[in-house]
Amino acid sequence: MTTTASDPRASRRCQNTLNPLHSSTYFSPEFAAELSRLGLEPGSMTYFAGRAAPLGAVGAGTVTATFYNFNHDLVARHIPRAWTIATPEAVIDARLRAVDTALTRLLGADTVASPEMAEAAALALRATEACDRAARPLYAANADLPVPTEPHLALWHAATLLREHRGDGHLAALVAAELDGLEAIVSHTATGKGFTPRFVQASRGWTAEQWAAAQDRLRERGLLDTAGELTDAGVELRRDIEAATDRVDRAPYEHLGATGVARLTELAGSFTQTALASGAFPLEHFGKG
C-alpha cells in the first residue's frame, strides 16, 4: 500500500524516527555534565530544568501540568528551586552545548557535517512551519527559541518542536480519555512499549502504593486485568488515544508532503539507528521488565 503524508502511519513513523534524536539528550552524560556545571543536581533536577527551561522560571505546578505523568511531589522538590541555582537562559545554552557534543559523539563528526544532515534539518524545519501554538505550551515555548545555525543542532531543534507538538496534543487525548498522569503511564507500560514499569515508577516519583492504586482504578474501568495486562478494552482505549493524537498532529506532515515525509523518515531513521548502536539509550529500561 502506498503511504501518503495524510496517512497517520507515515506521520507517526516519521515522528518515531525523529523523537530519539531529541530524547537521547536526557540520557547523555554530556547533558548531565553541562547542567551540573551550572550547579544543578544530576537526575530529576537537571531533567526538569533542561526540558522546562523554554517555559521560563515557572513553578512546579506548570511543570507537573505540562509533563503530566510525574508525581507533583517529585517536581516540587526541584522546581522552582532549580531557578535559584541557574536561570532558564543559562540552562537553554547549556543543553544546546550538550546536544552538540552528544550528537557528535553518537553520530560521528562526518555524519554531523554531511549533506544528509543538512537535508534532514531543512525537511524537519519545513514540517514545523505547520505546527500550531494554540493549547500547546511546551511546543510554543520551544518555538520561541532561535533556530540554531549548525545543521545537526537545527535538526535537534526541529525534532524537539515536533516531539513537543505531538506530546502536547497527546496530553489532550489522555485528558479526553479520562486518564490521569499516573493511569496514563501505568496503561502505557502495560503495552510493553517504552520504559519498564520499575524504571517509570522510580523516575516519575510514584510509590508502589500509588502505582497499585492506579492499577486498581484501571481494573474498575475494565482496562486492566488481574495480572496487570491490558484487557481488550484497554488495548482499544490506548489505540484510540494514539489515533486521536495522530489526528491533531497531522498538519506538519501534510505540510511536508508524502515525498518529504518519506525522505525525512529515511534520513532520521539512519541517524537514529547509528545513535542506538552507539549506546544512546539504556536499553535495559525498555519493555515490560
Side-chain angles (χ1 to χ4, degrees), residues 20-190:
L21 298 175
H22 163 87
S23 56
S24 63
T25 301
Y26 305 119
F27 293 94
S28 72
E30 293 87 353
F31 179 77
E34 286 288 353
L35 271 66
S36 294
R37 288 191 188 101
L38 301 177
L40 298 174
E41 300 165 8
S44 294
M45 180 181 280
T46 54
Y47 174 75
F48 292 144
R51 190 173 171 211
L55 293 166
V58 295
T62 300
V63 174
T64 300
T66 53
F67 288 23
Y68 200 70
N69 56 37
F70 287 81
N71 188 330
H72 179 70
D73 291 341
L74 175 62
V75 176
R77 286 203 290 272
H78 303 288
I79 301 291
R81 183 165 61 91
W83 312 131
T84 68
I85 300 170
T87 65
E89 293 77 13
V91 172
I92 289 169
D93 289 343
R95 80 173 187 177
L96 201 58
R97 290 193 299 271
V99 170
D100 183 16
T101 308
L103 285 182
T104 301
R105 172 178 59 84
L106 292 169
L107 301 178
D110 289 344
T111 297
V112 162
S114 68
E116 290 79 10
M117 179 63 69
E119 182 185 2
L123 288 168
L125 287 170
R126 189 186 308 162
T128 68
E129 293 171 355
C131 291
D132 184 8
R133 284 181 168 83
R136 287 183 164 94
L138 271 175
Y139 159 75
N142 280 279
D144 285 343
L145 300 178
V147 178
T149 56
E150 297 88 344
H152 66 297
L153 298 182
L155 177 61
W156 182 86
H157 176 73
T160 301
L161 297 183
L162 293 168
R163 174 242 173 85
E164 301 295 15
H165 187 269
R166 181 176 179 86
D168 288 338
H170 185 62
L171 299 194
L174 292 172
V175 171
E178 299 182 82
L179 292 177
D180 65 28
L182 180 52
E183 292 164 354
I185 201 67
V186 169
S187 61
H188 183 259
T189 59

Side-chain angles (χ1 to χ4, degrees), residues 181-239:
L182 180 52
E183 292 164 354
I185 201 67
V186 169
S187 61
H188 183 259
T189 59
T191 68
K193 301 173 183 177
F195 296 121
T196 65
R198 178 177 295 183
F199 178 78
V200 169
Q201 184 181 317
S203 63
R204 270 61 175 170
W206 300 106
T207 67
E209 292 76 17
Q210 290 168 325
W211 190 273
Q215 288 180 313
D216 287 342
R217 294 195 299 273
L218 293 171
R219 289 189 184 101
E220 290 172 3
R221 290 179 60 180
L223 303 175
L224 212 64
D225 65 20
T226 56
E229 301 290 335
L230 290 173
T231 62
D232 289 345
V235 170
E236 182 177 0
L237 180 63
R238 291 299 320 188
R239 187 183 299 120

